[in-house]
Amino acid sequence: MALLRVCGSSIFAFIIWRLIKRLRAPKSPLAHILGPKKEHWLKGNYHRIFQDGLRYNLDLVQQYGGAVKIYALLGQEQLYISDPLALHHIIVKEQNVYEETDMFIMGNRLIFGEGLIATLGEQHRKQRKMLNPVFSLANMRDLLPVIQPIADQLRTILNAKIPADGSVVEVNLLPWLSRGALEYICQAALGHSFNALDPTKENEYMEAIRTLAPSTLRLIFLRPFIPMIVRRFSLYWRNRMMDWMPSDALKNLRHVVNVMDTASKKIFTEKRAVLENEGFVGIAGNPMQGKDIMSIMLRANASSSNDDRLTDSELLGQMNTIIFAGFETTTSAICRILWILAEKQDVQARLRSAIRNAKRDYADAQGLSSPWEDVELPYDTLMGLPYLDAIVRETLRVYPPTSLLSRTARQASVLPLHQPIRSASGEMISSVHVPENTTLIISILASNHNKEIWGEDASEWRPERWLSPSGERLHLGDGEGNSTSGVSLGVKNGIKYPGVYGLMMTFLGGGRACIGFKFAEMEIKQVLTTLVPRIHFALPASTDRNGYVKEIYWKMNGLQVPVVRPPAGDNMTAQVPLDLRKVCEQDFVVNQPN
């Protein structure tokens, strides 16, 4: 208990020191930037931004503009940025100045190891150079048919829950889509199956990955102390602190990390043995046959020069990073799309008809005799379906799985603004001086809802904005946007967001853009084209035992979390209950283009 008292005293002293430092500090360099008042002496405005904060985040930008002053933990002043020109400087032009925060880098390194999201500078650039070719279109084309059986298995499981007489059954889709996403990323990334879609074959690794995000979110207010603890205490003393801490969340996180580390090392050793003994022709009975991301990465690493080659610890870090990053966000996106389709029956019917037309056309062209529902579309056909693509893009724009990211200014800088903001003195300013060590919050959400860029209907989910009047896909930035306001899609007077995907900020941009966004997009589309032809989705019509209808509500808690509102639900448990039944002819639209 003495160690626990020492740890607690150290954190308390750190808090007091930070508070005194702020009280004695000269006038704030951000005093001229407007923003909401500090609401809590410890949490500032953070709890409003990160806890069910959809409306609060959008209102900030509506009231104050593209650069807002907010208060973080212990009253620290930060900048909340959504201005497109400012974000271009942060993530592209001056990305060497605006780096990930120490809290983010050190926290991720403790959990995942030395992967992409836990490194900076030259080490990060070297890792990205190695990984970029791994996620090439050629590799995605090879992966698609190999992972199709996972979507087929998911469809079979959901179909089995629907009564044979065609009646409706309510199913909570979240656990099944979560299991499917985990199996997708484990097979595609590691070439290894954890049998995630078989509930009788639970294992520690699968459970660890599924509980990692909730565990870290419960500890979000402890994350700012990570750099101080890492710098001031050795690994031995950090482990002792974890032993003595009374927090169940901390102990659970430690267990999760240990399980992930053990499993990753085992798989890594097996993969390396295959490379050395069989040249990655593939393990007998493994359908991946060396096409998985880890096998490709190990082959590339083995053939690289000594200067470019990654260490074993870096390779292990990529494994954990890719799995976690490709699991939570994809699950959220697929759940959101199916919920939207359940709410908008006309959209669901139009999408189903477009998929049927595409599969029939491909079957005719290839001379296939199998039922159209079972036809597997090749990569280029799947990715090129206009209405499916519009639905996926619009969902990822309006409802990005991750809404906020952080950066730290490693040196003093000046951020130019596309749209001037009003200062505290009342004058309009077109740039913001950013002092060294200032933390900036990148608002993906507010950027994707910017009315000047996306039109007055920016917050409305409307997939037609991505289509021409004839139903074809738009070439972004050509000035042909189909917005009700007449604004060019994603571009206004030459100004656009520096996003790597569809000119939106969902997958970020620059040197730290999401490296696996092509895989995520492919997985989402493959699952939809497999489930929608045979299964009809609707919002839950049945009531609970007290007669209350289940209303699904999406909380923005860093990640998007679907819950059921009271009184039918507890507003906390993540779930997506939808009504499922078999598809009938009335569930299609006649003469529907792709």
Side-chain angles (χ1 to χ4, degrees):
M1 293 302 292
L3 179 61
L4 182 60
R5 287 195 294 271
V6 170
C7 179
S9 299
S10 299
I11 294 177
F12 179 73
F14 177 75
I15 293 174
I16 296 299
W17 173 72
R18 290 292 296 267
L19 290 173
I20 293 175
K21 184 178 179 181
R22 297 201 182 285
L23 289 173
R24 297 181 60 184
K27 183 179 178 181
S28 165
L30 300 179
H32 64 298
I33 305 297
L34 289 175
K37 292 182 179 180
K38 181 167 57 178
E39 298 184 24
H40 191 276
W41 70 271
L42 177 62
K43 296 183 290 186
N45 309 114
Y46 252 32
H47 59 299
R48 299 292 303 278
I49 293 172
F50 287 98
Q51 295 180 348
D52 195 12
L54 174 64
R55 192 68 263 160
Y56 186 83
N57 278 266
L58 295 180
D59 287 346
L60 277 182
V61 179
Q62 181 70 24
Q63 183 173 356
Y64 300 105
V68 186
K69 180 176 65 179
I70 60 170
Y71 293 93
L73 299 182
L74 304 177
Q76 181 188 33
E77 294 181 347
Q78 298 184 357
L79 285 172
Y80 181 98
I81 304 295
S82 61
D83 183 271
L85 183 56
L87 288 178
H88 175 75
H89 277 254
I90 292 171
I91 70 174
V92 178
K93 189 172 183 179
E94 296 183 294
Q95 55 185 300
N96 62 312
V97 174
Y98 299 98
E99 293 186 331
E100 300 279 10
T101 64
D102 291 342
M103 173 185 73
F104 180 87
I105 294 296
M106 292 183 182
N108 286 335
R109 188 168 296 172
L110 291 174
I111 295 173
F112 303 111
E114 293 184 83
L116 270 179
I117 60 174
T119 54
L120 294 169
E122 186 57 35
Q123 184 182 16
H124 182 270
R125 284 189 287 273
K126 185 173 75 169
Q127 291 184 6
R128 200 166 185 96
K129 179 182 177 181
M130 173 69 66
L131 287 170
N132 272 328
V134 173
F135 289 93
S136 67
L137 289 179
N139 287 334
M140 295 301 102
R141 289 188 181 96
D142 287 342
L143 265 179
L144 182 68
V146 181
I147 56 180
Q148 176 67 49
I150 303 171
D152 294 337
Q153 186 182 0
L154 179 60
R155 179 186 62 192
T156 300
I157 291 171
L158 295 179
N159 259 329
K161 296 181 178 297
I162 301 175
D165 62 4
S167 57
V168 174
V169 62
E170 183 183 294
V171 177
N172 179 15
L173 290 181
L174 182 60
W176 291 110
L177 292 175
S178 175
R179 287 174 175 273
L182 183 57
E183 187 68 9
Y184 254 100
I185 195 62
C186 285
Q187 285 202 33
L190 306 181
H192 184 90
S193 173
F194 287 101
N195 297 301
L197 284 169
D198 187 347
T200 66
K201 296 182 178 179
E202 295 284 353
N203 63 75
E204 277 194 314
Y205 184 81
M206 184 170 66
E207 187 61 26
I209 289 292
R210 287 212 307 256
T211 59
L212 179 57
S215 297
T216 54
L217 284 174
R218 283 195 292 269
L219 299 169
I220 189 171
F221 288 109
L222 289 179
R223 293 184 69 186
F225 301 105
I226 290 176
M228 183 270 291
I229 293 173
V230 170
R231 290 184 179 118
R232 287 167 172 77
F233 296 93
S234 67
L235 177 61
Y236 171 81
W237 287 110
R238 295 201 301 269
N239 285 332
R240 292 294 302 274
M241 290 178 192
M242 296 286 281
D243 290 336
W244 285 96
M245 280 288 185
S247 169
D248 290 337
L250 273 173
K251 292 178 180 177
N252 181 65
L253 180 59
R254 184 184 187 186
H255 172 71
V256 165
V257 172
N258 288 337
V259 169
M260 289 170 52
D261 186 59
T262 301
S264 297
K265 287 179 179 177
K266 181 176 182 294
I267 296 171
F268 178 77
T269 302
E270 293 174 353
K271 286 287 179 186
R272 172 158 286 174
V274 173
L275 172 63
E276 295 172 350
N277 298 328
E278 303 178 26
F280 271 90
V281 173
I283 302 174
N286 183 352
M288 297 305 295
Q289 293 294 308
K291 295 179 182 179
D292 58 277
I293 293 168
M294 192 65 196
S295 297
I296 296 170
M297 183 166 60
L298 285 174
R299 286 200 299 268
N301 195 58
S303 62
S304 298
S305 65
N306 290 333
D307 291 339
D308 292 334
R309 193 169 298 159
L310 304 186
T311 65
D312 285 358
S313 61
E314 288 178 294
L315 292 170
L316 282 166
Q318 311 311 331
M319 291 174 62
N320 292 328
T321 298
I322 290 170
I323 289 174
F324 177 72
F327 164 61
E328 280 292 341
T329 54
T330 307
T331 301
S332 172
I334 297 174
C335 280
R336 176 75 81 160
I337 292 174
L338 290 178
W339 173 74
I340 291 171
L341 296 180
E343 183 182 47
K344 302 179 184 297
Q345 291 294 310
D346 58 328
V347 174
Q348 183 178 166
R350 180 178 173 183
L351 175 62
R352 183 176 294 113
S353 302
I355 295 171
R356 179 172 64 176
N357 290 348
K359 290 194 172 191
R360 282 177 171 174
D361 290 346
Y362 182 73
D364 290 344
Q366 299 297 317
L368 304 177
S369 59
S370 56
W372 70 266
E373 295 93 337
D374 297 330
V375 171
E376 299 175 11
L377 296 175
Y379 180 86
D380 293 300
T381 304
L382 175 69
M383 303 305 283
L385 292 179
Y387 196 56
L388 173 64
D389 186 70
I391 286 174
V392 173
R393 286 178 185 267
E394 185 70 345
T395 303
L396 292 173
R397 183 190 70 82
V398 180
Y399 308 111
T402 301
S403 303
L404 303 163
L405 295 171
S406 299
R407 292 289 186 270
T408 292
R410 300 298 178 182
Q411 65 187 56
S413 184
V414 175
L415 270 184
L417 301 174
H418 164 62
Q419 193 66 256
I421 59 173
R422 189 174 300 279
S423 70
S425 64
E427 66 176 319
M428 301 301 293
I429 55 176
S430 57
S431 63
V432 176
H433 173 69
V434 182
E436 183 179 0
N437 295 325
T438 299
T439 298
L440 302 93
I441 305 294
I442 297 173
S443 180
I444 295 173
L445 179 74
S447 301
N448 287 357
H449 285 245
N450 187 330
K451 292 182 180 180
E452 183 185 9
I453 300 297
W454 299 101
E456 286 300 317
D457 60 353
S459 293
E460 176 187 344
W461 188 88
R462 196 175 61 82
E464 289 76 16
R465 78 176 72 246
W466 299 93
L467 302 172
S468 69
S470 61
E472 298 298 317
R473 293 171 63 183
L474 286 177
H475 297 289
L476 301 182
D478 285 353
E480 300 295 335
N482 188 24
S483 170
T484 55
S485 64
V487 177
S488 301
L489 184 63
V491 180
K492 177 66 180 297
N493 296 329
I495 295 294
K496 59 183 179 180
Y497 281 103
V500 70
Y501 174 72
L503 299 183
M504 66 182 85
M505 291 297 293
T506 301
F507 293 110
L508 210 59
R512 299 194 77 95
C514 174
I515 200 168
F517 77 93
K518 293 175 185 175
F519 176 81
E521 183 188 16
M522 179 181 73
E523 178 187 343
I524 293 169
K525 291 180 175 180
Q526 188 177 51
V527 170
L528 291 175
T529 55
T530 303
L531 297 184
V532 172
R534 290 188 182 272
I535 302 175
H536 178 274
F537 301 90
L539 296 180
S542 60
T543 59
D544 65 5
R545 60 185 179 181
N546 296 316
Y548 298 112
V549 176
K550 296 179 180 179
E551 180 189 356
I552 301 170
Y553 171 70
W554 292 78
K555 286 185 173 181
M556 198 193 88
N557 294 345
L559 296 173
Q560 303 280 346
V561 181
V563 298
V564 173
R565 276 182 160 167
D570 60 8
N571 209 42
M572 294 178 58
T573 305
Q575 55 185 309
V576 184
L578 295 180
D579 284 352
L580 276 55
R581 64 167 171 81
K582 294 185 183 299
V583 168
C584 59
E585 189 57 35
Q586 288 74 21
D587 297 323
F588 294 86
V589 176
V590 179
N591 298 325
Q592 172 62 45
N594 295 342

